[in-house]
Amino acid sequence: MATGSLLSHEPGASDVSSQPTTPDRTPERTDFIREIVASDLREGRVDSVVTRFPPEPNGYLHIGHAKSICLNFGIAAEFGGHCNLRFDDTNPTKEEQEYIDSIQQDVRWLGFDWGDNCFYASDYFHQLYDWAVYLIKTGKAYVDELSADEIHDYRGTITEPGRNSPWRDRPIEESLDLFARMKAGEFADGARTLRAKIDMAAPNIFFRDPVLYRILHASHPRTGDEWCIYPMYDFAHGQSDAIEGVTHSICTLEFDVHRPLYDWLIGNLPVPHVPHQYEFARLSVTYMVLSKRVLLRLVNEGHVRGWDDPRMPTISGLRRRGFPAEGIRDFAGQIGVAKADNTVEYGQLEHAVRDVLNRKAQRRFAVLQPLKVVVENYPDGRVEEMEVANNPEDPEAGTRRVSFGRELWIERDDFMEEPPAKFFRLAPGREVRLRGAYFITCREVVKDAGGEIVELRCVYDPATRGGDSPDGRRPKATLHWVSAAHAVPAEVRLYDHLFTRPDPGADGDLFADLNPNSETVLTGCMLEPALAGLAAGETVQFERLGYFTPDLDSSPDGLVFNRTLTLKDTWAKLQAQGKQG
Ligand code: ATP
Ligand code: MG
């Protein structure tokens, strides 16, 4: 898309801002996980529900994480339990404080509260170490000296069993000594590992003596240089769940193959609680890529303005784009929780957000591509305050006053010198309504030397103040406008999908599918002055144009707005057609 037509549809005299509201905002919903939780409570298998959201602080959270957050915090709240925020900080080479801070900000912004229950896997490093020693002592773990490549070679394949490491049957005392020396820093990265001793011929590859600890001489954001051995995900995760008394450890489908190991470790350690893992399908959305690794590349290679770029699928990006938290929560509820992978239409996310904004966003006037109108019969210097509704969907939102004067800005798209049959807006000799103000008729078109239209000379009908004519005349179009003497200029950034295809990367190079027109910057836009005072995060409707919010780059010296969404809801339309057909 480009700067072409900014108006998403032909506006008539009717209210163009009303959208269909969805009937699917039911508060009580259930799914297979909620059913498991309910039956565990009913049958007394658990007394009180404890869930957790376990991000690795190696990037910013994205909309997929939002689904997990809504599920974990949502279940805890619905069943009277609590949800822990747990940082899975076991890989210090990739994790940073910036990510920890952003994750906390995003969870809070989404509307969830972990209370006193913010934990870190690194809080448990001593306990985890003791449990590793316990496994060695009970003959269920050993220190291995194979390199990473050798471990891989020895592991076998899906069809072939693996081979035992030559170090597998070394004496317990020797493993204990070596593990202590690993901890003391005697060995280089990769020189030794601690492995569980399970079964190198097991059909489940995760049972083939999985690595539990590795050597990493790296400073940790929280434990500094205290440790140079770090637990692997599989050893840290379930045991952290057990320490925290988590009852339902809910994660995405790719972890189902880890579950036997999860249960094996819990079963072979003297843990204080027995948690259970349940898996649900991860969220995929068309036109979006939900992988922190890819998002990090987009940031590092400068394809976007940062993690919080309004085109990013990150929670911080969606926030900067102007998406309300409520819309994201509604979306998470509407897509549900299932056991089978599927991809959700981007339009469904927009639909949920649009539904909230339609109800809550205040309406304002803004002209993105201004064309000057001079109302010739309006007295020079005179200013009238016109009263207009803040939100026709919500009478309680009240009204505001907008200044009207002799010189106005209207949208360039709203005028055509030689209008085709279906163009009902302004044209030479034609009358239109200015929303909340007067009817005007175009008398003359002024052009510059290059033939470009620079001004329209119009006349107004004083009897139509407020937008109605006593003789019942009804113009076919109602336009938005801004008084030239009062308007404030702004930059407006229009956004489109970051990728050109619904399945980015399906044909190979993901980065070749980046949309070169994902951002269009308009300058010299003219806004009603009230918009200068809007705070970042407040999203309003620019009448007839869409929803917009001040960008984080906006300042009193240079206003910058982002387009959150257009008004048109193609997803709802397609749904309705599908239901009828
Ligand atoms: P990514 O694949 O984007 O790098 P991740 O799974 O490595 O994400 P974590 O920080 O480990 O990121 O994720 C924290 C939690 O969020 C996990 O429980 C994970 O299952 C869940 N999660 C991650 N991505 C999604 C998704 N697309 N849909 C639903 N839940 C997700
Ligand atoms: Mg992960």
Side-chain angles (χ1 to χ4, degrees):
M1 86 128 264
T3 45
S5 176
L6 295 166
L7 295 167
S8 49
H9 58 306
E10 180 68 34
S14 63
D15 179 15
V16 295
S17 56
S18 39
Q19 305 289 325
T21 39
T22 39
D24 47 1
R25 232 179 311 108
T26 37
E28 303 258 326
R29 42 183 85 243
T30 192
D31 50 63
F32 78 97
I33 293 185
R34 284 174 167 87
E35 275 162 22
I36 290 168
V37 172
S39 93
D40 285 347
L41 283 167
R42 199 169 48 238
E43 324 230 321
R45 281 187 293 271
V46 301
D47 301 330
S48 155
V49 175
V50 183
T51 56
R52 86 288 168 268
F53 172 64
E56 180 178 358
N58 61 351
Y60 281 57
L61 298 180
H62 53 59
I63 183 85
H65 295 113
K67 174 177 177 180
S68 176
I69 292 167
C70 291
L71 181 64
N72 280 294
F73 281 92
I75 286 180
E78 286 158 41
F79 291 95
H82 71 266
C83 179
N84 299 344
L85 174 61
R86 173 173 349 117
F87 290 100
D88 178 23
D89 56 346
T90 52
N91 182 359
T93 62
K94 297 214 169 128
E95 296 158 6
E96 287 174 27
Q97 187 62 40
E98 177 193 346
Y99 300 139
I100 294 178
D101 295 341
S102 74
I103 289 168
Q104 292 189 329
Q105 185 189 6
D106 289 348
V107 174
R108 254 191 228 112
W109 178 77
L110 272 178
F112 299 104
D113 181 6
W114 55 85
D116 297 330
N117 302 305
C118 177
F119 304 113
Y120 296 81
S122 58
D123 294 342
Y124 314 134
F125 281 172
H126 286 276
Q127 176 67 81
L128 294 172
Y129 180 82
D130 291 346
W131 279 339
V133 169
Y134 179 93
L135 282 182
I136 301 174
K137 285 186 176 161
T138 52
K140 290 180 179 127
Y142 61 97
V143 170
D144 197 6
E145 298 185 26
L146 294 182
S147 68
D149 286 345
E150 289 167 328
I151 289 178
H152 184 83
D153 287 345
Y154 275 66
R155 199 166 55 190
T157 63
I158 302 175
T159 49
E160 278 171 55
R163 281 175 291 141
N164 286 354
S165 162
W167 312 103
R168 192 176 202 262
D169 292 317
R170 72 189 339 161
I172 287 174
E173 288 310 321
E174 204 173 292
S175 279
L176 284 173
D177 175 58
L178 284 168
F179 191 51
R181 287 163 58 194
M182 281 168 64
K183 175 175 184 264
E186 251 183 65
F187 305 111
D189 289 4
R192 301 282 187 286
T193 53
L194 181 74
R195 299 179 69 180
K197 193 192 280 192
I198 311 181
D199 178 5
M200 289 305 292
N204 181 328
I205 270 188
F206 291 90
F207 262 23
R208 297 186 187 172
D209 291 10
V211 173
L212 304 180
Y213 264 91
R214 59 176 164 171
I215 301 173
L216 263 186
H217 290 273
S219 243
H220 186 283
R222 291 177 58 84
T223 58
D225 294 320
E226 187 185 354
W227 297 89
C228 63
I229 55 172
Y230 291 96
M232 302 300 288
Y233 170 87
D234 284 314
F235 192 63
H237 201 85
Q239 282 52 257
S240 300
D241 287 341
I243 292 167
E244 292 173 13
V246 167
T247 53
H248 299 79
S249 181
I250 304 164
C251 58
T252 35
L253 227 45
E254 69 272 21
F255 289 100
D256 69 342
V257 285
H258 295 246
R259 187 173 2 96
L261 177 57
Y262 183 103
D263 291 338
W264 185 90
L265 287 165
I266 293 291
N268 283 285
L269 287 169
V271 294
H273 294 278
V274 176
H276 290 282
Q277 178 184 300
Y278 303 92
E279 306 89 22
F280 69 100
R282 66 192 291 121
L283 172 65
S284 312
V285 183
T286 55
Y287 297 99
M288 285 183 154
V289 175
L290 303 184
S291 149
K292 282 187 279 189
R293 192 179 48 78
V294 172
L295 300 181
L296 182 65
R297 270 192 68 189
L298 290 171
V299 173
N300 287 345
E301 295 174 17
H303 297 291
V304 291
R305 294 171 184 269
W307 280 102
D308 64 351
D309 185 291
R311 290 162 292 180
M312 288 280 269
T314 50
I315 295 175
S316 51
L318 299 173
R319 175 167 66 234
R320 184 169 174 184
R321 173 88 171 245
F323 281 30
E326 183 185 353
I328 297 176
R329 289 196 304 269
D330 286 354
F331 171 69
Q334 288 161 16
I335 56 177
V337 180
K339 199 76 184 157
D341 279 320
N342 79 326
T343 301
V344 172
E345 299 276 339
Y346 179 80
Q348 191 173 354
L349 171 61
E350 282 200 323
H351 175 76
V353 168
R354 198 179 273 114
D355 193 40
V356 172
L357 290 176
N358 182 45
R359 284 182 281 119
K360 304 215 166 147
Q362 298 230 335
R363 275 50 169 173
R364 295 289 181 266
F365 289 157
V367 176
L368 299 190
Q369 290 179 325
L371 174 61
K372 175 71 70 69
V373 164
V374 177
V375 186
E376 288 185 320
N377 59 340
Y378 195 82
D380 212 3
R382 180 166 162 200
V383 175
E384 278 178 276
E385 301 294 319
M386 314 309 284
E387 188 159 337
V388 287
N390 283 327
N391 184 355
E393 296 288 308
D394 175 14
E396 295 198 354
T399 59
R400 69 187 188 287
R401 290 171 175 273
V402 183
S403 305
F404 183 89
R406 183 178 150 89
E407 297 203 353
L408 309 167
W409 296 112
I410 65 162
E411 209 68 64
R412 202 160 264 281
D413 274 3
D414 278 337
F415 176 80
M416 281 186 93
E417 197 173 10
E418 288 164 33
K422 285 196 173 151
F423 185 89
F424 299 116
R425 295 171 258 167
L426 199 57
R430 188 180 290 171
E431 184 174 64
V432 295
R433 174 192 290 113
L434 295 179
R435 165 77 54 111
Y438 293 104
F439 294 1
I440 58 166
T441 303
C442 177
R443 284 287 170 80
E444 190 192 335
V445 180
V446 183
K447 296 181 184 172
D448 65 12
E452 167 129 25
I453 300 171
V454 291
E455 190 177 293
L456 303 176
R457 310 291 293 190
C458 300
V459 292
Y460 85 117
D461 177 355
T464 58
R465 193 179 198 283
D468 283 306
S469 171
D471 65 8
R473 234 159 61 235
R474 289 174 61 92
K476 282 214 175 95
T478 300
L479 310 186
H480 61 280
W481 53 275
V482 180
S483 157
H486 302 87
V488 290
E491 172 180 320
V492 175
R493 299 175 183 166
L494 307 179
Y495 291 109
D496 197 359
H497 295 308
L498 188 52
F499 293 95
T500 50
R501 51 188 295 164
D503 49 355
D507 271 355
D509 184 12
L510 180 72
F511 287 78
D513 294 334
L514 276 167
N515 179 3
N517 300 316
S518 58
E519 181 182 78
T520 303
V521 177
L522 304 176
T523 53
C525 307
M526 293 294 174
L527 316 183
E528 85 172 67
L531 287 167
L534 206 64
E538 281 184 61
T539 306
V540 294
Q541 186 187 104
F542 288 180
E543 290 218 20
R544 300 175 62 232
L545 296 171
Y547 296 97
F548 292 78
T549 198
D551 186 71
L552 294 175
D553 290 343
S554 195
S555 76
D557 300 331
L559 297 179
V560 181
F561 277 75
N562 297 326
R563 183 170 68 193
T564 309
L565 292 172
T566 57
L567 293 175
K568 194 158 46 178
D569 193 338
T570 36
W571 187 81
K573 211 166 150 185
L574 290 174
Q575 290 299 104
Q577 283 166 359
K579 273 171 198 156
Q580 278 161 19

